Amino acid sequence: MDAIKMSGKITSGFWAERLRLNAETAIFHQWEMLEKTRCIDNFRIAAGMAEGFREGFFFADSDAYKWLDAAARILKHSPSPRLSALVDEFIAILEQAQAEDGYLYTYNQIHFGNARWQCLQIEHEFYCLGHLIEAGVAHFDATGSERLLQVARKAADLLVRTFGEAAPEFTDGHEEIEIALIKLSRATNAPQYRDLAQRLLARRGCIPAYPLHFLSQAVRSAGRMNTVAAMRRQYYRAHPAAAGFRLPEHNRHRVPALMPLRFAASALSGKYTQQHLPLHRQEVPVGHAVRFAYLNTAAAMLAQDGEMDTDLPRMERLWQHMVQRRMSVSGGIGSLPLTEGFGRDFELDPEIVYNETCAALGCMLWSSELGLLTGDPRYAELFEWQLYNAASVGIGTDGCSYFYNNPLATHGGYKREPWYDIPCCPSNLSRVWASLADQAVSVRGNTITVQQYFGGVYAAEANLPVKIKVETDLPWQGKVKLELELPAPQHLALKLRKPAWAGDFALLLNGQPVQPRVESSKPAGMASCGLDFAQSAWLCLERVFSLGDHIELIFELPLRLLHQDKRIAGCGGKVAVARGPILYCLEGIHNPIEVTEAVLALGEFELSADFLGFEGVPVLRAKTTDGGDCILTPYFLWGNSGDTSMTVFIADCV
């Protein structure tokens, strides 16, 4: 019997406040920026509802779809007339913009008429349609309305008709459509969508003479972009009053001298798009990190549905390689700029690492699926670590400022921005946050597994008539309380995750200490970044539970020094500091020292709270080796006080 996610709502604690920020501030800021950058106008132009020139990259449609997806997920738990009105307005535009046969891709519709599927390795048509389909599924789940779902199905039916029997050349350069088709199949009980997803995965890495194929598409796409640029100049000469529009700046990042050559080699070899080998032979994490994560998430979803289950051992080896050798201490993946992807083993220089927010989010989705498949707690462990660190760093405390890529050390000149020319991360964050409740608890038969500790109420509904209320003061303190609501006494197995970061723990049932059975994770070696997710385990209680039974967990949150492998340039041999699921850093703006050169007395940390305006957030006070004072703040909060130097790593003088 497969594990099923329990439905629920986050109602209290740390994540309730973050989700309130998401629902009341971030989602409306994102809409405002999509309007300001004319992304929504692109659809109005395609629908014949407005005049103007299409702006943004060829894949800009996806940014609007991710916003729509996020908005729908928010509405499921936080009804808002204002947000509902924006969603309905956008759906009406999409209905008008969509071609009769289901096609919807404004770059081609506005600029190139009937030209379709011209440069799939470059221009992301399937990727954009995938995000449209995901939005349709999310809206149907949230509202029960099939209005947007019908738009999504028309697009998916077009893909099924056109590419059901197509050659491998007709796979998208940016994976995502596969996830969307599987979700649509689950929502509609229509197997043709899952079948197409499986076929697309099977065709991956099978394009003959891929370097020539990619090069020819790159040249063609460049020619099309030049045509659009000429059309743009002509339009604004004819409409001078509309001239002067500019997209926001690109995200700041360091690009080493040889990186353009490495990008070209990765793209031509097929590694950049995971087209270098058939999927079942891809044993090493390579290429663009977001694409990699989406590809393997889809493979894991198919295994959940009983397809491709023989691929699970490969995915487990692939995940382990990523974690042990190609992941930063924050959980960030995709260390190389330009490729936005994986480097070689141990290539994790903290000032150069790209660690895109979307890559962490994609990896979280993959780990979630692997956790459901295997029941191994290490996947939930990585999900939690990336959620608090590699992903949450991407949004500011105001909900209106963002990081795109996330280095682990900088000398300054790197700050949060309200938007970017490629704004893929903000709404991606919002949509994952809005559905976090789905990641908390799962059920398989009469076994309930608590994977994430988010304060809320969760229900198995038809599968098992049980509700679980969770209260917790994580991540700052280690207390968790669970209360069961049952219609009658029931024999249940309850599995609670003991995090790898926890020290000793106490487990109480109705106020009395109990000794659980412990199910450990699979053994694995220490990651090069100092993390060991295999230290996680399940604490198992099996008995007849009754209405009102409550369980208390108390975890110690010791300070941990995460030693970096000496083979990592820039931080090898240094340590990072963590407490519970939170990684800490030194910010220059809060310290009278050059933080990137700081040497601390690592045995002399002191915990304090309510500092720097972050109410209730523990900071660490420490001493330099010459007796000076310094302060470490949570990494995910860095940059909220302005442009500053920052480092996660400290020289190990012990």
Side-chain angles (χ1 to χ4, degrees):
M1 182 181 295
D2 292 334
I4 299 171
K5 296 176 181 177
M6 292 175 69
S7 62
K9 181 179 181 180
I10 295 172
T11 57
S12 64
F14 176 90
W15 281 106
E17 288 302 306
R18 301 293 276 179
L19 298 190
R20 181 189 58 78
L21 180 75
N22 193 38
E24 296 179 6
T25 302
I27 196 70
F28 294 107
H29 169 78
Q30 291 164 18
W31 177 264
E32 179 183 338
M33 298 309 295
L34 289 168
E35 287 278 33
K36 185 176 180 180
T37 55
R38 303 188 184 175
C39 184
I40 305 301
D41 273 345
N42 293 341
F43 295 94
R44 295 187 179 106
I45 295 167
M49 302 167 68
E51 294 185 357
F53 193 85
R54 184 194 182 279
E55 295 288 359
F57 290 87
F58 41 75
F59 49 77
D61 292 5
S62 64
D63 302 319
Y65 296 147
K66 276 188 277 189
W67 178 89
L68 186 56
D69 188 354
R73 298 188 197 198
I74 287 170
L75 288 173
K76 181 175 181 179
H77 298 300
S78 303
S80 163
R82 179 186 173 194
L83 187 57
S84 292
L86 291 177
V87 167
D88 290 343
E89 175 188 350
F90 191 26
I91 293 173
I93 297 170
L94 294 178
E95 290 171 331
Q96 190 70 19
Q98 187 173 38
E100 187 62 33
D101 66 355
Y103 189 73
L104 184 50
Y105 182 66
T106 65
Y107 185 68
N108 277 343
Q109 287 172 288
I110 294 171
H111 294 317
F112 298 105
N114 293 321
R116 300 180 181 184
W117 329 119
Q118 297 290 300
C119 303
L120 286 176
Q121 294 306 300
I122 309 293
E123 292 182 355
H124 300 11
E125 273 167 282
F126 286 8
Y127 171 82
C128 289
L129 291 175
H131 278 300
L132 169 64
I133 292 167
E134 281 210 69
V137 172
H139 186 259
F140 174 65
D141 179 57
T143 68
S145 168
E146 295 191 15
R147 188 177 173 190
L148 184 57
L149 187 68
Q150 290 305 315
V151 175
R153 291 198 72 165
K154 284 180 67 176
D157 289 341
L158 173 65
L159 294 176
V160 170
R161 291 194 305 271
T162 309
F163 300 107
E165 304 295 334
E169 286 84 349
F170 294 98
T171 51
D172 199 276
H174 196 314
E175 302 93 323
E176 206 287 332
I177 185 62
E178 300 86 353
I179 294 174
L181 289 169
I182 297 167
K183 286 187 174 182
L184 183 61
S185 180
R186 291 174 176 177
T188 61
N189 294 314
Q192 67 269 26
Y193 305 130
R194 181 185 292 107
D195 180 63
L196 179 57
Q198 186 174 6
R199 290 172 184 236
L200 291 173
L201 290 181
R203 293 167 189 164
R204 196 145 213 97
C206 299
I207 298 176
Y210 184 81
L212 292 176
H213 179 75
F214 181 87
L215 186 60
S216 66
Q217 291 212 349
V219 170
R220 184 188 306 163
S221 182
R224 283 157 57 86
M225 284 189 282
N226 288 335
T227 298
V228 172
M231 293 165 59
R232 187 179 190 276
R233 290 191 296 270
Q234 181 179 357
Y235 178 86
Y236 285 117
R237 280 197 298 268
H239 301 81
F245 173 82
R246 294 288 183 275
L247 288 173
E249 294 297 316
H250 199 58
N251 57 298
R252 177 184 170 88
H253 57 280
R254 281 186 55 188
V255 181
L258 294 179
M259 200 56 62
L261 291 177
R262 293 184 65 181
F263 170 77
S266 179
L268 289 172
S269 69
K271 291 182 178 179
Y272 176 65
T273 53
Q274 293 79 43
Q275 294 277 23
H276 60 299
L277 290 169
L279 179 60
H280 68 276
R281 291 172 53 198
Q282 295 186 22
E283 297 274 355
V284 177
V286 296
H288 189 277
V290 181
R291 303 174 201 222
F292 165 88
Y294 287 174
L295 173 66
N296 287 286
T297 297
M301 291 172 73
L302 281 178
Q304 280 275 342
D305 290 351
E307 311 289 345
M308 297 181 66
D309 55 337
T310 56
D311 200 36
L312 179 57
R314 178 198 67 87
M315 282 190 284
E316 291 192 285
R317 292 190 300 270
L318 192 63
W319 187 93
Q320 191 65 36
H321 190 139
M322 176 191 72
V323 166
Q324 288 189 315
R325 294 169 175 262
R326 299 191 176 187
M327 188 183 77
S328 295
V329 70
S330 63
I333 61 170
S335 61
L336 300 185
L338 287 190
T339 66
E340 303 182 355
F342 294 98
R344 306 180 187 97
D345 288 351
F346 313 109
E347 193 173 10
L348 300 165
D349 187 308
E351 291 191 54
I352 295 172
V353 288
Y354 202 74
N355 289 355
E356 184 185 347
T357 304
C358 281
L361 296 168
C363 191
M364 288 162 56
L365 299 178
W366 183 31
S367 290
S368 174
E369 296 297 331
L370 287 175
L372 289 174
L373 269 170
T374 65
D376 194 312
R378 61 182 171 164
Y379 299 115
E381 192 77 23
L382 178 57
F383 183 101
E384 177 188 60
W385 185 257
Q386 289 180 319
L387 172 63
Y388 280 107
N389 300 294
S392 290
V393 68
I395 183 170
T397 55
D398 60 358
C400 302
S401 56
Y402 302 91
F403 284 145
Y404 184 106
N405 50 297
N406 299 289
L408 297 174
T410 174
H411 293 278
Y414 183 85
K415 60 187 180 69
R416 297 181 182 274
E417 300 288 352
W419 211 240
Y420 295 98
D421 60 343
I422 302 176
C424 57
C425 298
S427 296
N428 209 7
L429 262 170
S430 285
R431 73 186 189 123
V432 172
W433 276 17
S435 55
L436 275 182
D438 296 338
Q439 304 295 337
V441 187
S442 64
V443 60
R444 185 194 304 264
N446 72 332
T447 299
I448 298 173
T449 303
V450 182
Q451 300 175 41
Q452 305 297 337
Y453 297 111
F454 305 142
V457 179
Y458 308 92
E461 296 175 350
N463 304 98
L464 194 66
V466 176
K467 286 186 178 180
I468 298 181
K469 181 180 180 181
V470 179
E471 297 178 356
T472 179
D473 52 12
L474 283 169
W476 311 124
Q477 302 299 327
K479 295 181 180 178
V480 180
K481 181 178 179 181
L482 302 95
E483 185 172 337
L484 299 177
E485 296 183 16
L486 308 165
Q490 292 188 55
H491 184 271
L492 300 172
L494 191 62
K495 299 171 70 172
L496 311 172
R497 181 169 57 88
K498 179 212 168 278
W501 47 257
D504 289 338
F505 69 91
L507 179 62
L508 291 83
L509 175 62
N510 297 328
Q512 300 300 313
V514 291
Q515 289 297 321
R517 179 172 53 85
V518 178
E519 289 183 5
S520 298
S521 178
K522 286 185 178 180
M526 179 75 71
S528 62
C529 62
L531 295 165
D532 187 0
F533 299 109
Q535 292 301 310
S536 59
W538 298 121
L539 307 177
C540 307
L541 290 176
E542 187 168 1
R543 66 189 299 273
V544 175
F545 287 93
S546 300
L547 176 66
D549 278 352
H550 61 273
I551 298 99
E552 292 178 84
L553 268 169
I554 304 171
F555 297 119
E556 283 190 351
L557 276 68
L559 290 175
R560 294 178 296 149
L561 301 182
L562 306 175
H563 293 265
Q564 304 303 290
D565 193 292
K566 292 184 178 180
R567 289 170 286 189
I568 302 176
C571 62
K574 294 185 176 182
V575 299
V577 180
R579 179 177 181 271
I582 303 297
L583 179 69
Y584 280 76
C585 71
L586 284 162
E587 290 187 81
I589 201 168
H590 302 314
N591 290 285
I593 57 174
E594 174 47 59
V595 297
T596 57
E597 304 297 330
V599 180
L600 304 187
L602 296 180
E604 300 182 25
F605 289 108
E606 177 186 342
L607 192 67
S608 60
D610 296 328
F611 184 72
L612 305 176
F614 303 138
E615 184 178 353
V617 174
V619 299
L620 303 177
R621 298 182 183 273
K623 295 284 187 181
T624 63
T625 51
D626 59 7
D629 295 322
C630 62
I631 295 163
L632 290 84
T633 51
Y635 170 71
F636 81 88
L637 290 174
W638 93 269
N640 280 287
S641 299
D643 187 0
T644 180
S645 58
M646 180 277 298
T647 184
V648 164
F649 300 107
I650 302 165
D652 187 355
C653 62
V654 175

